[in-house]
Amino acid sequence: MRTEDVLAATATGLWRWDNAAGTVTLDAEAARLLELPSEPGAFRESEVRSRFHPVDWNEVYGVVNLAVAEDTLAEARLRIVDERGRVLRTVRSRSKPLPADGGADYVLVGTLQEVAEPQPGTTGAHTPITGDWRRSREAFLLDAGRALAEARSTEEVLRVAYSLSMPGFSPEGLAVFGVEGERLTIVGHHGQHAGDEGPFNDMPLETDYPAAEVVRTGRAIYLPTAEDYYARYPAAWPLARRFERHSWAFLPLIVAGRTMGAWMAGFRHPVAFSPDERSVLTTVARMLAQALARAGIAETERELSQGLQRTMMPSLVLSVPGMTVAARYVPTGGGLQVGGDWYDMIPLPNGRIALVIGDVQGHDVRAAAVMGQLRIALRAYASEGHRPDAVLSRASRFLSGLTDAHDDAEHTGARFATCLYAEADPETGTLDIARAGHPDPVVMTPDGTAVIRQTAGGLPLGIQADTDYPTTRVTLEAGETIMLCTDGLIETGGHDLATGWVRLRPILERHTDDLEKLADALVQAVHGPASHYTTGPLADRREDDVAVLLLRREGTTSLRTAPRRTALTIAQAEPERISAARQQVREMLHDWADPEQVDSAVLMISEMATNVLVHTDGDALLVAQASGEHGERRLRVEVADGSNELPHKRRPGEMASSGRGLVLMEMLADAWGVDPRGAGKSIWFELYESAEPVELVELAGVQPVPELEPEPEPDR
């Protein structure tokens, strides 16, 4: 009897699928099973494809690709349908993919045999063979892929792999093997006790062990029974027998064509490793390999960035008598997580301490490199004993030459940097501040009032080789804190300087004695969950680095009576600083009981400072202090100048454009006066926080300035 007759008698046909040519060759029985003319012939792939249920035809590709990868048989169950989509019969295909000329193409040779399920005439809905299980498998693979893609470290990847619950055949024990040189190592395991990995760790690759063979060959190994394990690996069987498992699967972990390890899945129950089950395991192994590779790269980058940070950032171990320091640095979220922001704390030859904070343009490796060189240069200039303005002038010249050299060598744009340099005297609490295009510092009083302390400044470092940087002196009273920060703390999240300050101010005004907690709260406000729904009016950007430095002058003071104080020099060439003076006083009096008194104080400050600039040749020094308990505080503002000429009160007419300054002060202030000094004079006023107007002499005990006869000279 001929072979064809035997096959036909058993309802088995032969087929040959040429992937490259797009043709399928069938014998008579195979053609009959596919509802084609019952005679041998070659058919177009599209013609044969129309006879299969669309879902099953798509499954064929996955099964064949798996068989090609593992060099095994491709097995599948396929539903034959008519033109209306009704299932006529189900056939089983068993075939062997053979490589064709050209490399990627193949020829599939095998058999088609009719099976008893499902019943003919039913609709083409999913059957148990291709329905619920397949849907469960697809859902499982989607969830597994998402979870593995979100894992950020090797530990997280292994934890996700251990928690996977495969549809219908979840493994009881897992192990991930890595390769170091010519030896097999254990990356992680689950389902075994601690120490069980000992015999398998540091195993030579030539060992007769399934995982070692998988790494050597790059092909998966399936062992459905203990007998299969013992027959193929008798030497390794004693090591595996004590775990009392029935089935094992060892799959290669391949990334970019390189086998980086192996994955073992052990089962307490028998598993036949059907094509569907092998397909699930192979897909998970590929995702696991990709996730481990990504985690390895990310861990290497984190280690590198952390090493750079440790090298470039000071530890702030320097002890400052009478002062407390805290700092934070948060790099940008991308790449190596290094950038151009930095802070530093430098002991000076005169016994003082220099605080430095800055930001080099850019968020890349070159910005970090420039930052490191600039930080070293600043340390060198500061250690030589130069004053703050001289330190920044030399640093600007250094950075200008450094970026010019980089620009010539690499054809890249020159870099600049903003910087704030403060020389602090721990004994007196004074800070001499020079600023190069950097945000102004913020001063917090013991009762939680936060005020932006505007300081004189110059261009960012590196823009001009020779630049002057004026110095501003700020005095910290006992319990006061000064904050130095980069623009990332203010502007991250779509904020500008104005809206960013509004976001940070409530954090600063929640007074805490712990600077470390305050530093954490500031960073959390910018990078914590709340920052994602409190974005500013600009484009939401979160890629900027953040550096913040906090310095507190220690001392005991009552929070209820602690004075608030601010001082500001208004130069003849800088009349715009009058606006800064008004703003500082408004912020200092943010909780004053009577808002109209605050408006009055701002108006009088404008009059006093403007008169100095208009009627003298010198600068105006403004000092404002609010003291006392809430509801009973006193505000005293003094404006001093170097002129010995006293102001004269006038009685201006309705059309006069000047002469009302002292009249306004007499109307608005609770007390005011003029005090001659050794060189110059000081004009002052006081306001008392009270709802009821009070007589001047009764409340202050100060004799009002006697009314003077008008003089022909202008009013000041």
Side-chain angles (χ1 to χ4, degrees), residues 107-167:
V107 175
L108 198 66
V109 178
T111 62
L112 291 173
Q113 184 179 25
E114 185 173 2
V115 294
E117 52 188 6
Q119 295 297 325
T122 59
T123 64
H126 287 162
T127 66
I129 299 173
T130 59
D132 295 339
W133 193 91
R134 283 175 178 168
R135 286 194 295 271
S136 298
R137 181 191 65 182
E138 291 168 359
F140 161 75
L141 292 176
L142 286 173
D143 291 340
R146 176 185 52 78
L148 289 171
E150 293 175 354
R152 301 288 179 161
S153 65
T154 300
E155 183 179 356
E156 290 183 14
V157 171
L158 295 177
R159 185 164 59 248
V160 170
Y162 302 154
S163 64
L164 296 179
S165 179
M166 300 182 188

Side-chain angles (χ1 to χ4, degrees), residues 310-544:
R310 286 192 297 269
T311 302
M312 295 179 176
M313 291 298 170
S315 58
L316 296 184
V317 296
L318 186 64
S319 177
V320 183
M323 290 188 168
T324 305
V325 184
R328 292 292 184 272
Y329 171 67
V330 180
T332 183
L336 292 179
Q337 296 199 358
V338 296
D341 289 23
W342 88 96
Y343 61 83
D344 207 348
M345 188 173 176
I346 309 169
L348 300 178
N350 57 9
R352 298 183 178 183
I353 300 297
L355 302 175
V356 189
I357 192 165
D359 181 3
V360 175
Q361 174 198 13
H363 313 290
D364 51 14
V365 175
R366 189 189 162 199
V370 172
M371 177 269 286
Q373 297 175 81
L374 181 58
R375 176 173 171 255
I376 293 172
L378 282 164
R379 268 188 164 266
Y381 299 141
S383 299
E384 290 176 352
H386 298 294
R387 295 288 297 165
D389 54 343
V391 170
L392 291 190
S393 294
R394 286 166 168 78
S396 183
R397 190 177 302 113
F398 168 81
L399 183 58
S400 178
L402 181 66
T403 55
D404 286 346
H406 275 291
D407 191 21
D408 294 339
E410 303 177 11
H411 305 289
T412 57
R415 298 289 178 110
F416 63 85
T418 66
C419 182
L420 189 149
Y421 182 99
E423 182 178 313
D425 186 348
E427 293 185 1
T428 62
T430 60
L431 290 91
D432 293 329
I433 298 174
R435 190 169 56 86
H438 202 78
D440 283 303
V442 177
V443 176
M444 289 84 74
T445 60
D447 66 350
T449 300
V451 178
I452 298 176
R453 185 64 170 86
Q454 297 196 13
T455 57
L459 293 173
L461 304 178
I463 291 184
Q464 290 183 1
D466 296 314
T467 307
D468 293 330
Y469 295 97
T471 302
T472 303
R473 172 162 290 188
V474 175
T475 301
L476 290 183
E477 303 295 339
E480 288 188 337
T481 302
I482 189 169
M483 181 187 76
L484 316 178
C485 69
T486 58
D487 59 354
L489 183 70
I490 304 173
E491 297 179 350
T492 294
H495 289 275
D496 55 20
L497 289 176
T499 61
W501 166 238
V502 171
R503 173 180 58 173
L504 292 178
R505 185 169 183 172
I507 308 299
L508 296 170
E509 292 184 345
R510 293 182 196 136
H511 176 70
T512 173
D513 293 331
D514 193 338
L515 282 192
E516 298 294 335
K517 291 182 179 179
L518 177 57
D520 290 336
L522 289 170
V523 173
Q524 184 72 9
V526 174
H527 285 278
S531 67
H532 291 265
Y533 53 83
T534 57
T535 55
L538 307 179
D540 186 1
R541 58 185 185 92
R542 302 180 185 274
E543 75 281 2
D544 206 358

Side-chain angles (χ1 to χ4, degrees), residues 602-620:
V602 169
L603 176 59
M604 288 187 284
I605 287 171
S606 294
E607 288 290 337
M608 295 160 65
T610 301
N611 281 343
V612 171
L613 298 186
V614 172
H615 300 297
T616 73
D617 296 329
D619 301 337

Side-chain angles (χ1 to χ4, degrees), residues 5-23:
D5 296 335
V6 174
L7 293 175
T10 58
T12 302
L14 299 176
W15 72 336
R16 184 177 185 275
W17 176 15
D18 190 336
N19 181 53
T23 61

Side-chain angles (χ1 to χ4, degrees), residues 12-343:
T12 302
L14 299 176
W15 72 336
R16 184 177 185 275
W17 176 15
D18 190 336
N19 181 53
T23 61
V24 181
T25 303
L26 306 172
D27 67 357
E29 182 61 20
R32 184 191 69 81
L33 291 174
L34 297 181
E35 292 297 314
L36 295 170
S38 301
E39 56 186 27
F43 301 86
R44 295 190 309 275
E45 181 180 303
S46 59
E47 189 176 1
V48 174
R49 178 176 181 173
S50 65
R51 316 311 298 175
F52 293 104
H53 193 284
V55 174
D56 299 350
W57 179 261
N58 293 332
E59 291 284 339
V60 170
Y61 283 102
V63 172
V64 171
N65 290 330
L66 178 65
V68 171
E70 298 182 351
D71 193 22
T72 58
L73 290 177
E75 300 184 32
R77 291 185 180 181
L78 306 168
R79 290 168 291 177
I80 310 302
V81 298
D82 59 13
E83 291 80 359
R84 291 182 294 177
R86 294 184 305 169
V87 176
L88 302 177
R89 64 177 58 88
T90 300
V91 298
R92 173 186 293 172
S93 168
R94 291 172 57 88
S95 52
K96 174 72 174 180
L98 303 175
D101 297 337
D105 296 321
Y106 53 84
V107 175
L108 198 66
V109 178
T111 62
L112 291 173
Q113 184 179 25
E114 185 173 2
V115 294
E117 52 188 6
Q119 295 297 325
T122 59
T123 64
H126 287 162
T127 66
I129 299 173
T130 59
D132 295 339
W133 193 91
R134 283 175 178 168
R135 286 194 295 271
S136 298
R137 181 191 65 182
E138 291 168 359
F140 161 75
L141 292 176
L142 286 173
D143 291 340
R146 176 185 52 78
L148 289 171
E150 293 175 354
R152 301 288 179 161
S153 65
T154 300
E155 183 179 356
E156 290 183 14
V157 171
L158 295 177
R159 185 164 59 248
V160 170
Y162 302 154
S163 64
L164 296 179
S165 179
M166 300 182 188
F169 65 113
S170 293
E172 178 270 338
L174 299 172
V176 175
F177 298 87
V179 180
E180 291 185 3
E182 295 297 321
R183 308 189 75 83
L184 203 65
T185 62
I186 297 288
V187 177
H189 64 91
H190 177 72
Q192 294 78 223
H193 297 94
D196 286 348
E197 74 278 5
F200 305 93
N201 206 6
D202 199 28
M203 180 183 291
L205 286 181
E206 61 268 17
T207 304
D208 190 24
Y209 178 67
E213 181 176 336
V214 166
V215 172
R216 292 196 306 266
T217 63
R219 293 187 177 278
I221 295 175
Y222 299 99
L223 303 171
T225 64
E227 290 75 14
D228 293 327
Y229 198 124
Y230 176 74
R232 291 189 61 175
Y233 304 99
W237 170 244
L239 298 175
R241 180 175 54 188
R242 61 194 179 96
F243 295 106
E244 299 180 352
R245 297 191 177 111
H246 290 82
S247 302
W248 298 261
F250 292 84
L251 297 102
L253 301 175
I254 302 174
V255 177
R258 182 179 66 87
T259 303
M260 57 178 290
W263 175 45
M264 185 276 291
F267 301 85
R268 289 263 184 202
H269 56 279
V271 178
F273 296 117
S274 66
D276 283 326
E277 292 167 340
R278 295 203 309 271
S279 176
V280 170
L281 291 170
T282 301
T283 304
V284 172
R286 290 172 180 168
M287 293 189 297
L288 180 59
Q290 295 289 339
L292 288 171
R294 288 193 301 269
I297 294 173
E299 288 172 348
T300 301
E301 292 177 347
R302 281 195 296 270
E303 184 176 354
L304 176 59
S305 64
Q306 289 170 1
L308 285 172
Q309 291 177 38
R310 286 192 297 269
T311 302
M312 295 179 176
M313 291 298 170
S315 58
L316 296 184
V317 296
L318 186 64
S319 177
V320 183
M323 290 188 168
T324 305
V325 184
R328 292 292 184 272
Y329 171 67
V330 180
T332 183
L336 292 179
Q337 296 199 358
V338 296
D341 289 23
W342 88 96
Y343 61 83

